[in-house]
């Protein structure tokens, strides 16, 4: 698990420590640096996948994130031309990993004289198959979706845009959610490290109204919180490496005999949400999940339920980091704390604010705390307070 990340001279951060818990929420106005935090982690992962990090190099461009050149990555007011990432993680024991990258203005690959011993990082979730990143711009409704036997069957990936979610559900839909995504050689160590004796924590993700533990059944049950009665149908298209994703709806007396609807004839919210639900339910303890804007295209109730689902995942040994602008997602998390579904000390709230010092703008992180009742101890200006500000104006007499 990631405990903290220190960023020095990276994008809007001069020198900032960001703390993480099992569930970490990143919030703030646009352009404050929330995405930069995720990008720093993605830069490390994509550099590892390109076999560059192991040789003390950082790839600024790749399949996960594209920064540009070192000039685009360096903090504008940097006093030293270097970019430093420091990760404190729990991996077998508490470890600190530091990379100190040298600045080269036009280069898109940076080198580091200081880097951790690479043998120590191979099994950490950020660098393994026990990782999902779902970006803000996910695949919406479309007639066909891609297939990737390598990424889905061998690496348990659903794609950064959710492009393989339908294929994943087709391959693993009839698996118990306790066994999806666990490689046989890893199952013993994962159970030993992340599960309590005699009880699998992942059982807390079982929907209370669905007895079946199969991934298909659980996805349907949780999707029902977004759109009640939704059935998901995934089928391969003969002769081509593509999947068809369709929906049907149980309504009244027509339960079980309703017609299928094309994906493109159903609202954006269902398709946008599907990859998140699949990723959460299919992830074993020890997985790291990064999600941008989980609230996209969802109505308020669905956003609150999404917050609850992500909180439940975090209570099961899955580390969840989400970037959100939704007070409903936050309230879903608060309700989960209030209901005892996740401990308050397992939730980290990080609010990003723009500050200025000696004429130089930089980003500062403020971390309100949540208590056992789901109450938050302080509300800095701009921290999910827009409704309160609007209500204050509405309570005043209307102008002429």
């Amino acid at each position: 698990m990631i405990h903290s990340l220190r960023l020095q001279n990276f994008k809007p951060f001069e020198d900032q420590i960001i703390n993480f818990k099992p569930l970490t929420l990143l919030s703030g106005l646009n352009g404050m640096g929330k995405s930069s935090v995720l990008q720093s982690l993605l830069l490390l992962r994509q550099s590892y996948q390109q076999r560059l990090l192991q040789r003390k190099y950082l790839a600024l461009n790749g399949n996960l994130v594209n920064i540009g050149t070192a000039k685009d990555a360096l903090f504008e007011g940097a006093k030293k031309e270097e970019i430093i990432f420091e990760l404190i993680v729990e991996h077998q024991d508490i470890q600190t990993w530091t990379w100190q990258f040298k600045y080269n203005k036009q280069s898109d690959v940076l080198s580091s004289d200081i880097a951790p011993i690479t043998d120590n990082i191979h099994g950490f979730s950020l660098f393994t198959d026990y990782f999902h990143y779902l970006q803000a711009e996910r695949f919406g409704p479309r007639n066909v979706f891609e297939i990737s036997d390598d990424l889905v069957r061998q690496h348990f990936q659903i794609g950064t845009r959710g492009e393989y979610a339908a294929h994943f559900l087709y391959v693993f839909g009839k698996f118990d959610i306790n066994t999806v995504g666990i490689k046989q050689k890893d199952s013993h160590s994962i159970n030993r490290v992340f599960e309590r004796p005699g009880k699998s924590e992942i059982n807390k993700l079982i929907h209370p109204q669905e007895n079946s533990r199969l991934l298909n059944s659980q996805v349907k049950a949780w999707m029902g919180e977004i759109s009640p009665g939704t059935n998901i149908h995934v089928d391969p298209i003969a002769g081509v490496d593509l999947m068809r994703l369709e929906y049907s709806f149980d309504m009244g007396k027509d339960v079980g005999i309703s017609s299928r609807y094309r994906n493109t004839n159903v609202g954006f919210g269902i398709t946008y949400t599907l990859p998140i639900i699949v990723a959460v339910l299919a992830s074993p303890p020890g997985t790291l999940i990064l999600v941008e804007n989980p609230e996209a295209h969802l109505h308020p109730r669905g956003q609150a339920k999404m917050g609850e689902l992500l909180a439940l995942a975090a209570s099961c040994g899955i580390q969840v980091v989400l970037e959100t602008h939704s007070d409903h997602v936050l309230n879903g998390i608060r309700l989960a704390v209030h209901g005892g579904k996740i401990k308050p000390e397992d939730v980290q709230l990080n609010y990003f604010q723009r500050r200025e010092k000696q004429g130089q703008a930089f980003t500062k992180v403020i971390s309100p705390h949540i208590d056992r009742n789901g109450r938050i101890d302080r509300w800095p200006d701009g921290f999910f307070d827009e409704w309160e500000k609007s209500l204050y104006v509405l309570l005043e007499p209307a102008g002429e």
Side-chain angles (χ1 to χ4, degrees):
M1 183 175 77
I2 299 173
H3 284 273
S4 69
L5 169 66
R6 184 179 184 183
L7 299 175
Q8 292 178 272
N9 294 331
F10 180 64
K11 299 189 74 175
F13 301 106
E14 180 180 25
D15 187 354
Q16 179 66 55
I17 295 175
I18 300 101
N19 292 314
F20 290 75
K21 296 287 181 65
L23 177 59
T24 302
L25 185 148
L26 311 177
S27 65
L29 299 179
N30 298 103
M32 294 296 106
K34 304 181 299 299
S35 296
S36 297
V37 173
L38 299 182
Q39 286 173 352
S40 66
L41 299 174
L42 296 172
L43 284 173
L44 293 173
R45 178 175 174 84
Q46 78 179 12
S47 300
Y48 183 87
Q49 290 179 324
Q50 294 180 27
R51 302 184 184 275
L52 289 173
L53 194 66
Q54 297 89 319
R55 292 181 280 141
K56 302 182 181 181
Y57 291 99
L58 185 76
L60 294 180
N61 301 296
N63 65 322
L64 293 177
V65 61
N66 290 283
I67 299 296
T69 65
K71 182 178 182 295
D72 301 300
L74 187 71
F75 173 63
E76 188 175 348
K79 296 179 177 63
K80 293 182 67 177
E81 292 188 334
E82 62 182 11
I83 296 172
I84 300 175
F85 295 164
E86 181 183 272
L87 268 178
I88 297 180
V89 305
E90 184 176 355
H91 178 54
Q92 300 174 347
D93 54 14
I94 303 297
Q95 302 187 32
T96 300
W97 297 333
T98 303
W99 293 268
Q100 186 172 321
F101 298 105
K102 293 181 289 186
Y103 178 73
N104 186 341
K105 184 176 181 180
Q106 297 302 323
S107 178
D108 61 355
V109 177
L110 308 183
S111 63
S112 175
D113 290 331
I114 299 175
I117 300 172
T118 55
D119 286 348
N120 289 340
I121 69 176
H122 291 313
F124 187 62
S125 56
L126 181 60
F127 306 112
T128 70
D129 291 338
Y130 300 109
F131 173 90
H132 293 290
Y133 164 55
L134 288 165
Q135 61 177 277
E137 190 179 358
R138 298 184 286 278
F139 272 16
R142 57 191 60 210
N143 289 322
V144 294
F145 287 83
E146 300 176 42
I147 283 177
S148 175
D149 281 325
D150 177 56
L151 290 174
V152 172
R153 294 181 187 273
Q154 299 301 318
H155 299 286
F156 306 109
Q157 297 298 297
I158 59 175
T160 62
R161 303 180 68 186
E163 62 267 34
Y164 305 123
H167 187 206
F168 191 102
L169 204 54
Y170 176 76
V171 172
F172 296 111
K174 294 183 179 179
F175 281 61
D176 187 300
I177 66 168
N178 271 309
T179 62
V180 177
I182 298 181
K183 295 181 178 180
Q184 189 63 39
K185 65 183 179 66
D186 295 335
S187 61
H188 174 70
S189 61
I190 287 176
N191 290 338
R192 176 171 53 82
V193 173
F194 292 104
E195 293 183 2
R196 295 179 181 175
K199 180 180 179 181
S200 171
E201 285 293 281
I202 212 74
N203 288 344
K204 292 167 67 175
L205 278 170
I206 300 293
H207 193 279
Q209 304 303 319
E210 176 55 63
N211 293 324
S212 171
R213 298 157 58 98
L214 299 184
L215 180 61
N216 274 336
S217 301
Q218 287 300 313
V219 169
K220 176 187 175 182
W222 279 103
M223 186 62 78
E225 300 289 355
I226 310 300
S227 178
T230 301
N231 296 298
I232 302 164
H233 308 275
V234 289
D235 300 291
I237 301 175
V240 293
D241 291 335
L242 295 170
M243 297 293 302
R244 179 183 294 109
L245 173 62
E246 297 177 316
Y247 300 107
S248 63
F249 299 92
D250 298 332
M251 294 179 289
K253 297 180 180 180
D254 295 328
V255 172
I257 61 171
S258 50
S259 300
R260 292 188 181 188
Y261 295 90
R262 284 189 177 193
N263 181 267
T264 50
N265 291 332
V266 177
F268 257 74
I270 296 176
T271 304
Y272 243 60
T273 304
L274 181 63
I276 303 176
I277 295 176
V278 171
V280 166
L281 295 177
S283 292
T287 301
L288 172 62
I289 300 179
L290 312 182
V291 184
E292 294 177 344
N293 302 123
E295 69 272 15
H297 300 292
L298 291 181
H299 57 84
R301 180 194 171 199
Q303 294 178 38
K305 284 296 180 181
M306 179 59 69
E308 177 187 349
L309 176 62
L310 294 172
L312 282 171
S315 74
C316 296
I318 300 167
Q319 186 168 27
V320 179
V321 182
L322 63 137
E323 177 190 350
T324 182
H325 295 281
S326 170
D327 52 348
H328 301 297
V329 169
L330 172 63
N331 288 336
I333 294 170
R334 296 173 66 191
L335 289 170
V337 171
H338 183 273
K341 297 174 181 178
I342 186 172
K343 298 176 183 177
E345 59 267 28
D346 288 340
V347 179
Q348 177 73 39
L349 305 178
N350 289 323
Y351 176 64
F352 294 70
Q353 270 190 343
R354 184 66 53 84
R355 298 285 181 87
E356 185 175 324
K357 181 174 64 176
Q358 297 177 347
Q360 178 63 54
F362 67 98
T363 292
K364 181 73 175 177
V365 176
I366 301 171
S367 298
H369 294 284
I370 188 167
D371 68 16
R372 174 63 183 81
N373 296 309
R375 297 170 184 165
I376 296 173
D377 63 348
R378 55 176 172 157
W379 294 80
D381 185 49
F383 180 67
F384 299 106
D385 59 0
E386 195 58 36
W387 170 238
E388 182 180 344
K389 291 178 178 178
S390 298
L391 183 61
Y392 181 80
V393 173
L394 290 171
L395 290 173
E396 295 179 345
E400 294 297 331

